Amino acid sequence: MKTFSFILCTLLSFSMAQGQLTDQSVLLIVGKDTTTRGDFYKNYTKNSVLNKQVRPNKEDLTNYLDLYINFRLKVQAAIDAGYDTNTALQEELYTYRAQLAEPYLTDHQVSEALLKEAYSNMLYDVRARHILISLYKDAKVQDTLTAYNKAMQARNELLKGADFAKTALKYSAELNRVKNQKQYKETGNEGDLGYFTAFSMVYPFEKAVYAMKVGDISMPIRTQYGYHIIQLTDKKPALGSIKAAHILVPITVFDTTPEQKSACRAKIDEAYAKLQSGTSFEEVAKEYSKDNASSKGGYLGEFTVNRMIPEFIEAFYKMKPGEYSKPIQTRFGWHILQFISNSSIESYLAVLPNLEYNISKDERSTLPIKVYASKLMKNNNLKENTAVLFSFQALIKDTILKAGHWVYDSLSNPKIYSQVLFSYGNNKVYLSDFARYMEEKQQQTLKGKAQIIGEMYGEFKISYSLQNEAKMLDSKYPEFKALMKEYRDGVYLFDINNRKVWAKASNDTVALRKYFEDHKDQYKWPHKVDAVVVSYDVKTVSTDQMRKCMEKAYKKNWSVEQIRAQMDKSFGIDVIKVEENTFEPGSNIFVDNTPWVLGLSKDILSGDTRKAFVIIEKIIPESYKDFSEIKGLVISDYQNYLDQQWIKELHKTYKVTVNKDVFESLFQ
C-alpha cells in the first residue's frame, strides 16, 4: 500500500515539476483507483448538456467532481467487497462484453456490401418460378447428392425445351404433395412464386434470382428447404408500397357451368360500363363486388408486391395512380382494379435502419462474422493436424449423432486427446479442447458421423478464433476497454447501491419506522384555513360597494353559492371571482396577507389591480402525518439518509486526493 502511494506521489510530483498537464495527467486518486484529466472530462461531458466547444463552468465542474468522487468511492468499495469474483455479476458483465464485442468481430466491408446489395435488390421487383427438390437441412451426404442429381435432371429437361409447368408437376416437392394434380393445374401456380423483392425469400434464393437475367434457368440453388431450379420470368423497377381497390365477381372453378361463367363475365362487363359512364369506383364496388374483405368501396388496403397475386401486380405496372383497369380474370374470378397510389423506395440512408434490422434476422447476418474469422485464421497462421482429426473421427461412436448421448472422457484415450489439433499464432489447441466443444454442442442429426464432425470442427475453428480475438480487444482498442470499464462500474454501482441503500431502506421495516419516528417533525401537515376568497378588479368594481355586499353576506351567513349568485346579480356574471377552499401558506396571496382569525377580513387585500375580502371559516392547526400516508416519501428520505451516512464512512475509509493544478487546468 505504501509503495503504491509512493509511486503515485512520484508521478504527480514529476508531472508538476515538468509543468506539462495533459489528458494523461492524474487528476484524482480514490483509494487505489486513479482518474486522469482526460477520463474525468470525458465523463463530465457525457453526463452534461454542456456544449463541448464551450469552456466548462468552474462551479459546475466542482459540483460534478464531488459527485464523481462519491461514485469512485462506491465502485472502490464494491471491488474491495469482492465483486470482481462474484459469479452472478461476472456473468452479467460477460453478457455485456459479448454484445459490445460484436461490432469488433465482424468484417465491416462485407457488412456494408450486404447492406448495399439488399438496397439494390429493393429497387426492383422480380417474378420467378421454381422447382423444389426437398431436402432436410441436416441431410446425409448421399441424400444430398441424390437430391442434387434430381434437380440437375429437371434442369436439363428444361434446357432441352420441356414445359416448365409440366416439369414442375413432375419433379417439384411442393406440387407432388397435391393429390389431384389436375385440380392444382387449374387452381394453383405450377411453381410460380409471383412478384417479390428483397427479404421476401431466404437469402440464397434471393441472391440467385437477382443475379439472373429474365428467362435464365439457374443451376441447383441450395437453401434450408432443399435444391431449387429457378427461372426468372420478370424484373421491373419496384412499385414499393401500393394502395389499391378492386371489384370482384367470383367464379368457382369446379361445378361452374358455361352459362354461369358467361353470367359472371356479363356482370363484370356491366360494372365496367358503369365506370365508363362516370359512376364512382366506390359506388360500383359497393353494388357489384362480392369480396367481403373489401366491401368498403373495394379498398384492398396498403400492400407490397409479394402480398398480392401476380395478375394484379402486372396490371399495376401498366397503370398510373388514379386509373382503373379493364376486366381481368384470375383463378378467383373477374376483377376490375383501381390503382390508387404507390410510394417509391426511399434513399439508402433513410432505409438503412430497416436494412440493418432485416439483415440481423436473416441468415446472411453470419457472413461478415465468418469472413472476419477466416481472416483471423490466416493472419494467425492457423496450421491444422488433420491426422489427429481423422484419428479422433475413428475413435468416436455413432452416439455423437444423438443429442446428449456422447460424453467426452479424457481418460479413455489420453494419448490422442493430448495431441495438438491445430496451432494458432503462438497458441496450441489440443484435441481435448475440440472434444469438450463437441460434447457441449452435439445435437440430434440425420447426418453421418464424418459429416457432423467435419462441420463441428469448422464451427470450432471459427469460435476459437473469435474468442481469442475477443480476449485482446482491451489491448487493441482503448475505446472498448473504456466502455467495458464503464459497464463494470455501472454494474458494481447498481448492485452495491441496492445492497447498502435501496433494498435496505425498503426491506428493513424496523429501521425505516425508527427513522420516521426520529424525524417526525419533517412530516407534518402545515396549519391551514378553510376560507372564502372574493376577489375583484378595482378598475371595474367599487370597493365601498363590495364592502357593503360582503358585510351583508357575512352577517346573514350566506353560502358560497348565495354569495356567487348575489355578486353576479349586483356586478354582472363572472365579474367577481368567488373561491372556497382549504388554503395552506403560500397557496393564495390574499389568504397569506390576511390575519388568520375567524371572520371577515377588515382590510382590503391588494395584488396589482385586484383586491379581495376573505372570510376565515375555520383554522386547522398543524398535525403529524400518518406513516401509512407517506411511506413512499419516508423510504426515499431514508435512502438519501443511508446514502449520505455511507458516503461519510467511505471518506473515512479511503483517502481521496485531488490534484488541484490538474483540475483547475480544465477551466483556465
Side-chain angles (χ1 to χ4, degrees):
M1 180 69 178
K2 291 181 179 179
T3 304
F4 181 81
S5 300
F6 174 77
I7 293 171
L8 284 175
C9 290
T10 304
L11 289 172
L12 288 171
S13 300
F14 180 79
S15 176
M16 296 279 292
Q18 295 297 310
Q20 296 176 345
L21 299 179
T22 68
D23 280 348
Q24 299 307 312
S25 299
V26 176
L27 182 148
L28 174 67
I29 307 170
V30 177
K32 300 176 183 179
D33 180 74
T34 63
T35 302
T36 64
R37 177 182 185 271
D39 287 340
F40 175 79
Y41 189 67
K42 187 185 297 181
N43 278 283
Y44 171 69
T45 53
K46 185 182 295 184
N47 293 282
S48 170
V49 295
L50 175 74
N51 185 327
K52 295 182 181 180
Q53 302 300 318
V54 179
R55 188 166 293 279
N57 177 278
K58 182 177 181 179
E59 183 180 355
D60 289 343
L61 265 177
T62 302
N63 291 335
Y64 181 72
L65 177 62
D66 291 337
L67 295 173
Y68 189 76
I69 288 172
N70 293 340
F71 165 57
R72 298 311 317 166
L73 282 167
K74 292 178 180 180
V75 172
Q76 187 62 52
I79 294 172
D80 289 347
Y83 275 36
D84 54 344
T85 59
N86 183 296
T87 303
L89 295 179
Q90 295 310 311
E91 286 179 355
E92 183 178 353
L93 283 172
Y94 180 82
T95 301
Y96 287 135
R97 183 183 179 89
Q99 294 171 352
L100 295 173
E102 285 181 7
Y104 294 88
L105 303 176
T106 187
D107 190 297
H108 295 289
Q109 289 184 334
V110 175
S111 296
E112 182 69 17
L114 287 171
L115 288 166
K116 290 185 174 177
E117 176 191 58
Y119 181 71
S120 176
N121 293 348
M122 283 178 64
L123 297 177
Y124 291 92
D125 298 330
V126 292
R127 184 177 183 181
R129 51 187 180 179
H130 78 140
I131 295 170
L132 171 64
I133 310 300
S134 285
L135 186 67
Y136 288 110
K137 190 177 180 180
D138 60 347
K140 296 179 180 179
V141 174
Q142 185 56 48
D143 294 336
T144 302
L145 181 60
T146 299
Y148 179 85
N149 289 336
K150 188 176 180 181
M152 283 299 296
Q153 186 177 339
R155 180 177 187 269
N156 290 334
E157 290 183 18
L158 292 173
L159 292 177
K160 292 177 181 178
D163 179 73
F164 196 99
K166 291 180 180 178
T167 309
L169 287 168
K170 178 180 177 182
Y171 286 97
S172 187
E174 287 185 317
L175 310 190
N176 288 333
R177 282 196 291 267
V178 180
K179 293 181 180 179
N180 188 337
Q181 293 194 5
K182 179 179 182 299
Q183 175 182 338
Y184 195 93
K185 186 174 181 180
E186 293 189 24
T187 63
N189 54 23
E190 298 171 335
D192 186 6
L193 297 167
Y195 285 90
F196 55 91
T197 187
F199 302 111
S200 300
M201 302 291 179
V202 290
Y203 179 59
F205 195 100
E206 176 190 323
K207 186 175 180 65
V209 168
Y210 276 94
M212 297 167 66
K213 295 178 181 178
V214 174
D216 281 355
I217 296 173
S218 72
M219 288 289 288
I221 304 299
R222 182 75 160 95
T223 74
Q224 65 197 64
Y225 304 107
Y227 280 107
H228 306 257
I229 301 298
I230 308 168
Q231 183 176 40
L232 179 64
T233 57
D234 199 8
K235 184 175 183 180
K236 287 184 169 65
L239 283 171
S241 184
I242 305 163
K243 289 182 180 179
H246 82 144
I247 298 166
L248 169 65
V249 177
I251 298 177
T252 305
V253 174
F254 303 102
D255 304 323
T256 300
T257 65
E259 291 78 12
Q260 289 173 320
K261 291 181 180 180
S262 296
C264 289
R265 178 58 199 257
K267 198 75 171 175
I268 201 71
D269 287 341
E270 185 180 327
Y272 185 73
K274 280 209 170 186
L275 290 172
Q276 291 286 80
S277 68
T279 307
S280 72
F281 194 93
E282 185 176 359
E283 288 182 33
V284 176
K286 287 180 179 178
E287 181 179 353
Y288 288 91
S289 186
K290 301 302 179 182
D291 180 11
N292 293 330
S294 60
S295 58
K296 294 182 179 180
Y299 185 57
L300 291 168
E302 190 169 358
F303 52 87
T304 50
V305 295
N306 60 311
R307 309 297 296 180
M308 198 57 69
I309 57 176
E311 292 90 343
F312 279 25
I313 305 304
E314 282 184 327
F316 292 141
Y317 282 124
K318 300 170 184 176
M319 298 165 66
K320 295 179 181 179
E323 293 181 347
Y324 58 84
S325 70
K326 292 181 178 180
I328 297 171
Q329 187 175 18
T330 74
R331 61 182 179 273
F332 302 108
W334 285 96
H335 312 257
I336 299 174
L337 304 177
Q338 183 187 40
F339 187 17
I340 298 172
S341 66
N342 72 305
S343 57
S344 58
I345 305 300
E346 296 180 279
S347 69
Y348 176 72
L349 291 178
V351 301
L352 184 57
N354 283 334
L355 289 174
E356 291 174 333
Y357 174 73
N358 285 326
I359 286 178
S360 72
K361 300 188 302 177
D362 193 283
E363 61 186 285
R364 74 192 83 182
S365 63
T366 62
L367 292 177
I369 299 171
K370 291 178 179 178
V371 170
Y372 186 75
S374 296
K375 290 182 178 180
L376 289 175
M377 294 179 211
K378 183 178 180 181
N379 294 338
N380 286 278
N381 195 27
L382 184 145
K383 292 183 178 179
E384 302 176 81
N385 190 341
T386 54
V388 172
L389 185 64
F390 290 144
S391 299
F392 177 63
Q393 182 177 312
L395 182 69
I396 298 299
K397 296 181 180 179
D398 286 342
T399 51
I400 191 65
L401 305 178
K402 297 180 180 180
H405 281 62
W406 181 78
V407 179
Y408 162 57
D409 181 5
S410 59
L411 300 178
S412 63
N413 204 322
K415 186 175 181 181
I416 289 183
Y417 284 127
S418 63
Q419 293 184 24
V420 175
L421 183 59
F422 60 81
S423 61
Y424 185 93
N426 296 323
N427 301 331
K428 292 181 179 180
V429 180
Y430 297 91
L431 180 60
S432 57
D433 298 318
F434 177 48
R436 277 188 288 269
Y437 177 86
M438 281 188 55
E439 182 181 28
E440 179 185 347
K441 300 293 183 180
Q442 62 180 306
Q443 294 179 346
Q444 190 80 19
T445 180
L446 298 175
K447 298 177 181 178
K449 184 176 68 173
Q451 186 179 357
I452 192 62
I453 291 175
E455 289 180 4
M456 292 182 75
Y457 176 57
E459 294 167 2
F460 174 68
K461 288 188 293 182
I462 292 173
S463 175
Y464 179 84
S465 61
L466 293 174
Q467 288 184 15
N468 185 76
E469 184 69 11
K471 293 176 183 177
M472 299 187 289
L473 291 178
D474 298 80
S475 58
K476 282 189 172 184
Y477 305 101
E479 70 277 9
F480 179 83
K481 182 179 180 180
L483 191 57
M484 276 307 303
K485 183 176 183 294
E486 185 177 324
Y487 269 74
R488 183 208 68 174
D489 291 351
V491 169
Y492 287 4
L493 180 68
F494 180 87
D495 189 84
I496 199 166
N497 255 333
N498 189 51
R499 293 170 185 264
K500 293 282 188 177
V501 178
W502 303 328
K504 186 175 181 180
S506 300
N507 299 332
D508 192 344
T509 55
V510 174
L512 179 66
R513 193 67 186 234
K514 185 178 185 305
Y515 175 82
F516 170 71
E517 295 297 336
D518 292 343
H519 297 82
K520 283 191 73 171
D521 287 343
Q522 296 178 13
Y523 306 106
K524 287 183 177 180
W525 296 114
H527 66 299
K528 46 197 172 185
V529 293
D530 290 342
V532 178
V533 180
V534 183
S535 60
Y536 59 97
D537 195 318
V538 296
K539 293 184 293 185
T540 58
V541 177
S542 165
T543 297
D544 289 339
Q545 193 176 1
M546 272 294 300
R547 183 184 292 108
K548 291 177 182 178
C549 286
M550 288 302 300
E551 287 174 348
K552 182 179 180 181
Y554 180 67
K555 185 177 181 179
K556 293 191 174 185
N557 196 26
W558 283 352
S559 67
V560 172
E561 289 74 20
Q562 289 174 312
I563 294 174
R564 188 174 288 115
Q566 185 60 47
M567 293 300 172
D568 287 347
K569 182 179 178 181
S570 300
F571 301 101
I573 296 175
D574 293 335
V575 173
I576 308 300
K577 181 180 179 182
V578 182
E579 179 184 6
E580 182 180 42
N581 211 332
T582 299
F583 298 94
E584 296 180 1
S587 62
N588 186 286
I589 187 173
F590 299 118
V591 176
D592 287 346
N593 290 331
T594 299
W596 283 18
V597 292
L598 297 176
L600 175 65
S601 65
K602 298 185 180 301
D603 299 320
I604 300 168
L605 307 174
S606 174
D608 296 328
T609 63
R610 292 197 67 80
K611 294 186 178 181
F613 286 92
V614 178
I615 300 174
I616 303 292
E617 297 178 321
K618 182 181 179 181
I619 299 173
I620 305 169
E622 67 178 9
S623 60
Y624 288 107
K625 296 179 180 179
D626 188 81
F627 177 76
S628 61
E629 296 177 300
I630 54 166
K631 184 177 179 181
L633 175 62
V634 178
I635 290 175
S636 177
D637 290 345
Y638 186 42
Q639 286 175 342
N640 290 334
Y641 169 78
L642 290 174
D643 190 56
Q644 291 167 10
Q645 295 301 113
W646 181 32
I647 289 172
K648 288 179 183 178
E649 292 176 11
L650 291 174
H651 274 278
K652 292 178 182 178
T653 304
Y654 298 102
K655 183 178 180 181
V656 176
T657 304
V658 178
N659 189 328
K660 293 183 179 180
D661 288 343
V662 176
F663 179 66
E664 290 175 359
S665 71
L666 290 169
F667 45 82
Q668 288 176 350

